């Protein structure tokens, strides 16, 4: 039957959302990072191997979402003028995404790593809201 072929898209595109909406907020990354922290704390308080396995899987998914939301801000929201005004912004994003990744919160069950990530997100958030006022 040819109907599915006719209805399939000819061009595939990807974006932050289905329609580039211009809505950005570091709170999305923060909520996921808070989830990572809580999962780490629950992991530490529980010795059930099945619970711990589930916790790790979910924590890694949340950490990946942190990276995604940070990348969207880094690559879609912030413009060259922002990076000129805040010369440490690239470094902050680089550090935050690395802390969210395998060498940090994604690869660890230590709540302190999640706290470190939350601190970086707070630094990015401060700059973000300063740019929104300008």
């Amino acid at each position: 039957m040819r109907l599915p072929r006719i209805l399939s898209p000819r061009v595939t595109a990807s974006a932050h959302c289905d329609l580039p909406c211009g809505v950005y907020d570091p709170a999305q990354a923060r909520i996921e990072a808070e989830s990572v922290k809580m999962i780490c704390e629950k992991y530490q308080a529980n010795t059930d191997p099945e619970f711990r396995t589930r916790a790790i899987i979910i924590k890694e998914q949340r950490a990946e979402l942190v990276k995604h939301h940070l990348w969207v801000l880094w690559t879609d929201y912030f413009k060259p003028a922002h990076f000129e005004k805040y010369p440490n912004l690239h470094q902050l994003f680089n550090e935050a995404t690395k802390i969210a990744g395998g060498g940090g919160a994604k690869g660890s069950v230590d709540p302190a790593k999640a706290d470190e990530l939350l601190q970086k997100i707070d630094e990015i958030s401060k700059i973000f809201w300063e740019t929104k006022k300008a």
Side-chain angles (χ1 to χ4, degrees):
M1 181 172 218
R2 295 181 49 164
L3 190 56
R5 192 170 139 186
I6 292 170
L7 297 176
S8 67
R10 301 239 189 276
V11 176
T12 303
S14 63
H16 160 66
C17 57
D18 292 337
L19 177 69
C21 57
V23 176
Y24 302 98
D25 194 325
Q28 292 175 300
R30 182 168 183 71
I31 289 167
E32 298 300 348
E34 287 175 0
S35 183
V36 167
K37 180 180 177 182
M38 291 302 296
I39 292 168
C40 288
E41 289 174 356
K42 289 180 180 212
Y43 177 94
Q44 297 298 336
N46 195 311
T47 59
D48 177 47
E50 290 177 12
F51 176 87
R52 286 180 142 209
T53 298
R54 284 181 43 239
I56 288 172
I57 291 167
I58 295 166
K59 177 193 59 72
E60 289 179 0
Q61 291 168 343
R62 300 295 114 195
E64 196 61 36
L65 285 170
V66 171
K67 288 171 43 178
H68 167 77
H69 292 303
L70 289 173
W71 284 331
V72 167
L73 285 171
W74 194 1
T75 60
D76 295 356
Y77 173 77
F78 285 105
K79 305 294 182 229
H82 297 134
F83 294 108
E84 288 175 24
K85 185 172 181 179
Y86 303 95
N88 65 329
L89 194 53
H90 279 301
Q91 185 67 28
L92 276 174
F93 274 107
N94 186 36
E95 290 170 358
T97 56
K98 287 188 182 307
I99 294 167
K106 186 176 178 183
S108 170
V109 291
D110 182 0
K113 277 292 177 193
D115 280 332
E116 191 179 340
L117 176 58
L118 285 163
Q119 182 181 24
K120 289 293 178 191
I121 292 170
D122 286 346
E123 291 178 54
I124 291 167
S125 183
K126 182 178 183 249
I127 293 171
F128 172 84
W129 289 111
E130 285 176 12
T131 67
K132 293 293 273 188
K133 291 176 189 174

